[in-house]
Amino acid sequence: MSVIQVPEADAGQWRCATCDEELALRPVELEYLDSLFNVALPACPKCGMVLIPENLALGKMNQVEHLLEDK
């Protein structure tokens, strides 16, 4: 399965609040309504905590949710 690259998912200068590690883009498996997506998102290299930036959550992810719900 290919990994979806999302320009809005920039890791920027984010750090993990628990590990104090700099976040890096990593393939993450997302599931919604029985659909699986591999998406490159900022994640902590130590504990694996994933950051979904607000602009991505309220933008493209929200649009995909509505498309899946309308099926």
Side-chain angles (χ1 to χ4, degrees):
M1 182 182 286
S2 64
V3 177
I4 300 169
Q5 303 293 326
V6 183
E8 296 91 340
D10 180 23
Q13 299 298 317
W14 288 96
R15 300 187 75 81
C16 178
T18 303
C19 306
D20 198 34
E21 295 283 332
E22 192 169 309
L23 302 187
L25 289 178
R26 295 178 169 249
V28 175
E29 194 170 84
L30 300 177
E31 181 179 1
Y32 187 74
L33 293 178
D34 298 327
S35 296
L36 283 176
F37 306 92
N38 282 324
V39 182
L41 290 174
C44 175
K46 190 171 181 180
C47 71
M49 181 70 76
V50 175
L51 169 72
I52 298 176
E54 183 177 10
N55 61 338
L56 177 60
L58 298 176
K60 192 167 279 187
M61 289 182 89
N62 189 29
Q63 291 173 352
V64 172
E65 285 177 5
H66 286 288
L67 288 172
L68 291 173
E69 291 169 359
D70 290 342
K71 281 187 173 181

